[in-house]
Amino acid sequence: MLPKSDEEANKNTMKRAVANDPVALSSMGTKRYEEGDYVGAFEYCTKAAELGDAMAHYDLSHFYQEGLGVEKDEKMRLYHLERLPLPVIPRLDINWYVSAVLCVLFCVAGPCCSVALGALCWQLLWVFFESLILTIKLLCNAVTTKYGRQVIA
């Protein structure tokens, strides 16, 4: 059953986090991050990573890279990147699939419909390529961290 309000959804997520659900813990970490509570976000993501959540490892690598909620540490950043399964698919990657499908649809129908629809096609194409580039960077970095070097900054 779907929650009827945001408050109910937050309570459900918190119950799952208390029960050590790694996805809920990672979700709480993301929420804390968005609120600017980097220490809290780091703690939730650490617990989720200990329970095997791959995205929590990705998030922790970012915390260590940027020094958010923790001191910058290149060795720990690489440690968490090495724990990612291949291929590395970030949360943003849904944009890749959605924009690819919409791009094809709008590029075919766009010229027949309107200038605004054509402009939307170009925006979707941009999102598609940004997501594709991000995925390639993450894959290259995850593969090369075992050799102690980073291919793409």
Side-chain angles (χ1 to χ4, degrees), residues 49-50 52-58 60-61 75-86 88 142 145-146:
E50 289 170 358
D53 187 77
M55 284 311 304
H57 280 292
Y58 173 78
L60 287 171
S61 73
K75 285 184 181 181
M76 287 303 292
R77 181 186 82 83
L78 294 176
Y79 169 84
H80 287 288
L81 282 177
E82 288 175 347
R83 267 104 207 110
L84 293 174
L86 291 176
V88 179
T145 53
K146 293 189 183 227

Side-chain angles (χ1 to χ4, degrees), residues 60-74:
L60 287 171
S61 73
H62 175 70
F63 289 127
Y64 280 111
Q65 180 179 4
E66 300 298 324
L68 301 171
V70 67
E71 198 171 311
K72 286 184 179 185
D73 187 336
E74 184 65 14

Side-chain angles (χ1 to χ4, degrees), residues 17-128:
V18 169
N20 286 331
D21 176 352
V23 175
L25 289 164
S26 187
S27 176
M28 293 297 294
T30 299
K31 184 176 179 181
R32 294 293 182 266
Y33 178 86
E34 290 170 353
E35 293 170 351
D37 177 9
Y38 302 124
V39 173
F42 180 81
E43 290 171 2
Y44 276 112
C45 288
T46 299
K47 183 67 175 169
E50 289 170 358
L51 295 169
D53 187 77
M55 284 311 304
H57 280 292
Y58 173 78
D59 291 339
L60 287 171
S61 73
H62 175 70
F63 289 127
Y64 280 111
Q65 180 179 4
E66 300 298 324
L68 301 171
V70 67
E71 198 171 311
K72 286 184 179 185
D73 187 336
E74 184 65 14
K75 285 184 181 181
M76 287 303 292
R77 181 186 82 83
L78 294 176
Y79 169 84
H80 287 288
L81 282 177
E82 288 175 347
R83 267 104 207 110
L84 293 174
L86 291 176
V88 179
I89 309 290
R91 287 184 184 115
L92 296 175
D93 233 24
I94 190 66
N95 291 339
W96 192 90
Y97 299 110
V98 171
S99 62
V101 170
L102 291 176
C103 240
V104 169
L105 293 174
F106 287 142
C107 285
V108 170
C112 303
C113 296
S114 70
V115 173
L117 201 53
L120 179 60
C121 173
W122 285 109
Q123 288 177 337
L124 289 171
L125 193 59
W126 181 256
V127 170
F128 170 80

Side-chain angles (χ1 to χ4, degrees), residues 119-138:
L120 179 60
C121 173
W122 285 109
Q123 288 177 337
L124 289 171
L125 193 59
W126 181 256
V127 170
F128 170 80
F129 283 115
E130 279 185 329
S131 297
L132 181 62
I133 289 168
L134 174 63
T135 301
I136 291 169
K137 282 183 178 181
L138 290 171

